[in-house]
Amino acid sequence: SLPAVRRAISLVPMVVGQWCHQQGHDGCAEQAWQVAVELAPVDPGPWLALGTLYLEQDQMATARRALESARGVAPDLPEVYNNLGLIFARQGEHERAVAAFRRALDLEPGIAATEYNLALSLQAAQAYEEALIHYQAAIALGGPQAKIWANKAIAHYEAGQLAEAVEAARQALLYDESLAPAYAVLGAVFVESLRPENALPPLRRAIELAATYRPAHYYLGLAYESLGQPAEASAALEQALSFASDEDMRARIRRHLNELQR
């Protein structure tokens, strides 16, 4: 039949697009996959490829339209729901992201990347206990161990589980000694445990590794504040303020700076 022939022909631009994408020629890949869509509009493959490409390029609205087109012709593709979840997460719609990642796992259980994505969105929604369950699942499934352990450490810390946060941060550093978030968690735990002198080395190390990492500057400021060093505390908190994008965090930093000035 004609549709079957067109689908067969559409494989050619799909392969061309994949080759272009692998070579870093995104414009060529986009054009090839658009040709594949025109040849076989009921094939979800070209739509999914385009949606993934636009997601990589941070074109959220265009990516979402392409992925919705893929879902329209194939409502049970787990990759579509995972990518939609990534879009929702980047836009701060964490409840929608959680629902999309859950749907992806319902359709295809046991995918480490999806478990990890779900854990991140649950953590952003402050559902820490469930986030930790999915981080552990991602670890068991062989996901990127260092990154998962580091985010797991942050989730433990945010949940008030300080001993578990330290253990997870140390696990992360066993896999990768250059992880600034893991050092920042260790420093934050020392600040929380009223041992600010112990917080300084890991927080300074975090800043050496990632000069713009806001949490490291913030907790360094709190450590200096606890040690009675207001000038150093103010300098660190000013740095944290310059790197903070969340308004709640900016307000919290300003309160500390105002207290130091008084």
Side-chain angles (χ1 to χ4, degrees), residues 51-63 86 90-91:
T52 304
L53 176 64
Y54 294 137
L55 179 58
E56 292 171 357
Q57 296 174 341
D58 207 30
Q59 299 183 46
M60 297 295 103
T62 311
L86 292 173
R90 289 189 193 179
Q91 295 175 333

Side-chain angles (χ1 to χ4, degrees), residues 221 224-237 257 259-261:
Y224 281 129
E225 186 177 12
S226 297
L227 290 167
Q229 301 179 36
E232 292 83 351
S234 293
L237 289 169
L257 285 169
E259 290 169 5
L260 285 166
Q261 289 171 1

Side-chain angles (χ1 to χ4, degrees), residues 89-177:
R90 289 189 193 179
Q91 295 175 333
E93 300 180 59
H94 298 297
E95 290 185 5
R96 298 186 72 182
V98 166
F101 293 135
R102 289 194 200 282
R103 180 59 177 152
L105 286 169
D106 287 342
L107 293 167
E108 189 176 13
I111 302 300
T114 312
E115 291 280 3
Y116 176 62
N117 293 336
L118 176 56
L120 285 172
S121 286
L122 287 165
Q123 182 177 349
Q126 300 183 356
Y128 300 120
E129 293 299 330
E130 191 176 359
L132 290 165
I133 291 170
H134 290 282
Y135 279 133
Q136 197 60 45
I139 289 169
L141 290 166
Q145 301 289 299
K147 185 187 296 186
I148 298 172
W149 277 109
N151 281 290
K152 190 171 184 283
I154 295 170
H156 278 302
Y157 177 77
E158 290 173 342
Q161 301 169 2
L162 301 188
E164 293 85 349
V166 169
E167 178 59 28
R170 287 174 175 164
Q171 285 288 337
L173 292 172
L174 288 176
Y175 287 100
D176 185 349
E177 293 182 352

Side-chain angles (χ1 to χ4, degrees), residues 182-204:
Y183 288 105
V185 167
L186 293 175
V189 170
F190 284 129
V191 171
E192 191 82 13
S193 304
L194 304 180
R195 289 181 287 168
E197 66 283 355
N198 294 336
L200 299 181
L203 291 171
R204 288 168 178 161

